[in-house]
């Protein structure tokens, strides 16, 4: 596997083991059927508990059944999963970084005990509801709200584009708590001090919850995506995440997930490169392998260089995260760069495979289609550009 600067030579024993176990699991259990899942628009749900047994969901957290592995080990895991398919990494990212992380960081003791072991083992599936039909890049404008009624909250609103929602047992729903204007009618303000965004654990079998699958996707087909509609859904106040209030809650989860994406995208790009390299050696035109043509070599050289730069970024992020110095803007830079890189590499690899490259027999076009989603979700490429622009100039170009 491409590791041009021998970055993996410095892995410790545990990191090596986690990488190798994930690589083997992907090769034996996922790879053989992933093309069919992509074609059929399905996820291998039967493997969800097995992936839990393998420790694929938030192994970087500590306690409640999670071993607290290094951030490098976690990154390598995301890389191996996405080398198979972004849908597989997305499932694990959502379960780990977007559902287990907020419960671990902001949940009550009872919430942690109820959910973390079950989610970690893949006995329960979670989803993360932030995006709404009218609020994607601007989630702070969300319309989903929660109103207190005695010792319950009543939730109303619609979330869309929610990974895992049709197969989820629990949704982490981010909604505006409009309880402060009690008795005087609810305030429509999005002011955090008046109506803060809060996280609610909503079991999907509660009355008033519906999750419909979005199945007309041309990207991320081996992933289940849907809506979470909330119609007068009553939840006890014990289901509110007590440890966070405001947009910091969902944004801090997204930083965790984006960290995994920065690593995962490198895996997808690496897989495209490996496939193109092998194909170029095997495929003969004009009396010999196409790998002997300078034009093809230039493509391989460029892909290998860009992947290596992406690996360097990912490894450095891991070091910063491990010592608690990682800033969200640094994660933005890596997510933005590595996903764009993987999108470009996938297209070049597809091109090198000629006509065969457009079939599901080879992975690059599947990765290429997936990268359209990865480029857009968890903050679009444009939004991360603006985040960096603000960080560099001190001037926000967006609210
Ligand atoms: P919009 O925000 O409408 O953006 C449209 C275009 O406008 C983009 O190109 C964008 O970059 C650009 N744009 C927007 N604002 C600006 C600006 N200020 N300046 C310049 N350009 C701008 N969400 C969840 O909450 N949970 C999930 O599990 C989840 N999973 C997903 C799975 C899939 C397969 C997909 C496709 C999406 C998922 N999402 C999820 C939603 C995803 O995060 C949003 O699609 C994303 O945030 C972009 O929002 P939008 O699609 O509404 O696009």
């Amino acid at each position: 596997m491409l590791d041009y600067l021998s970055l993996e030579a410095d892995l410790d024993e545990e990191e090596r083991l986690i990488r190798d176990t994930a690589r083997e699991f992907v090769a034996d259990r996922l790879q053989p059927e992933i093309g069919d899942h992509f074609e059929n628009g399905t996820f291998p749900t039967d493997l969800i508990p097995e992936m839990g047994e393998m420790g694929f969901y938030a192994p970087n957290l500590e306690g409640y059944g999670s071993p607290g592995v290094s951030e490098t080990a976690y990154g390598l895991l995301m890389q191996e999963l996405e080398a198979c398919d972004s849908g597989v990494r997305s499932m694990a990212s959502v379960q780990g970084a977007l559902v287990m992380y907020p419960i671990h960081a902001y949940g009550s003791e009872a919430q942690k005990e109820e959910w973390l072991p079950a989610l970690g083992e893949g006995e329960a599936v979670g989803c993360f509801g932030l995006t709404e039909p009218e609020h994607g890049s601007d989630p702070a404008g969300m319309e989903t709200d929660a109103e207190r009624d005695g010792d319950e909250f009543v939730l109303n609103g619609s979330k869309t584009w929610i990974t895992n929602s049709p197969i989820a047992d629990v949704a982490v729903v981010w909604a505006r708590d409009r309880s402060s204007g009690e008795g005087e009618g609810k305030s429509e303000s999005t002011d955090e001090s008046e109506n803060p965004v809060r996280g609610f654990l909503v079991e999907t079998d509660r009355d008033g919850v519906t999750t419909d699958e979005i199945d007309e996707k041309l990207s991320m087909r081996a992933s289940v995506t849907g809506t979470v509609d909330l119609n007068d859904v009553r939840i006890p106040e014990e289901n509110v995440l007590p440890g966070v209030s405001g947009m910091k809650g969902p944004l801090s989860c997204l930083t965790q997930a984006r960290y995994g994406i920065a690593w995962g995208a490198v895996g997808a790009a690496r897989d495209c490169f490996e496939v193109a390299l092998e194909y170029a050696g095997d495929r003969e035109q004009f009396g010999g392998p196409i790998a002997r043509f300078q034009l093809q070599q230039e493509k391989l050289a460029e892909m290998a260089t860009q992947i290596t730069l992406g690996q360097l970024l990912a490894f450095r992020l891991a070091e910063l995260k491990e010592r608690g110095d990682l800033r969200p803007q640094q994660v933005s830079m890596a997510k933005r760069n590595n996903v764009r890189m993987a999108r470009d590499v996938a297209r070049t690899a597809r091109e090198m495979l000629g006509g065969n490259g457009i079939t599901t027999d080879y992975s690059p076009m599947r990765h290429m289609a997936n990268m359209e989603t990865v480029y857009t979700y968890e903050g679009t490429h444009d939004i991360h550009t603006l985040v960096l622009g603000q960080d560099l100039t001190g001037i926000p170009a967006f609210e």
Side-chain angles (χ1 to χ4, degrees), residues 128-131 136-137 161-163 225 373 376-378 380 382-383 386 398:
F128 175 89
L130 179 64
T131 304
S137 297
W161 289 118
I162 308 305
T163 303
T225 317
T373 288
T376 290
Y377 75 7
E378 304 268 355
T380 69
D382 293 334
I383 293 297
L386 299 179
F398 68 127

Side-chain angles (χ1 to χ4, degrees), residues 28-69:
D28 296 346
R29 311 285 287 129
L30 286 163
Q31 203 74 55
E33 51 184 67
I34 198 68
D36 289 342
H37 279 292
F38 186 89
E39 250 181 280
N40 300 331
T42 52
F43 184 83
T45 43
D46 53 316
L47 294 182
I48 290 175
E50 229 176 297
M51 287 168 66
E53 266 171 51
M54 303 293 294
F56 288 177
Y57 308 130
N60 54 340
L61 297 181
E62 199 144 9
Y64 305 92
S66 294
V69 303

Side-chain angles (χ1 to χ4, degrees), residues 71-100:
E71 295 299 345
T72 302
Y74 176 73
L76 290 163
L77 170 64
M78 294 298 115
Q79 184 174 278
E80 296 307 321
L81 295 182
E82 195 144 1
C84 175
D85 192 275
S86 301
V88 176
R89 199 267 310 135
S90 291
M91 194 278 149
S93 276
V94 167
Q95 179 92 341
L98 295 180
V99 180
M100 292 173 69

Side-chain angles (χ1 to χ4, degrees), residues 115 119 122-127 164-171 202-205:
W115 289 110
L119 289 162
E123 278 170 14
V125 174
C127 68
N164 293 349
S165 79
I167 56 167
D169 301 288
V170 64
V202 181
E203 298 89 344
T204 52
D205 58 2

Side-chain angles (χ1 to χ4, degrees), residues 130-145 156-159 174-176 178 187-192 195-197 246-247 250-251 399:
L130 179 64
T131 304
E132 299 186 354
E134 303 305 327
H135 304 279
S137 297
D138 178 22
M142 71 176 65
E143 293 165 54
T144 300
D145 61 19
N156 278 291
S158 281
K159 300 291 179 180
W174 298 96
R176 284 214 178 268
R178 303 212 186 260
S187 150
E188 296 301 325
S189 165
T190 54
D191 182 337
E192 288 289 352
N195 294 318
V197 166
M247 282 304 289
L251 294 181
E399 290 304 310

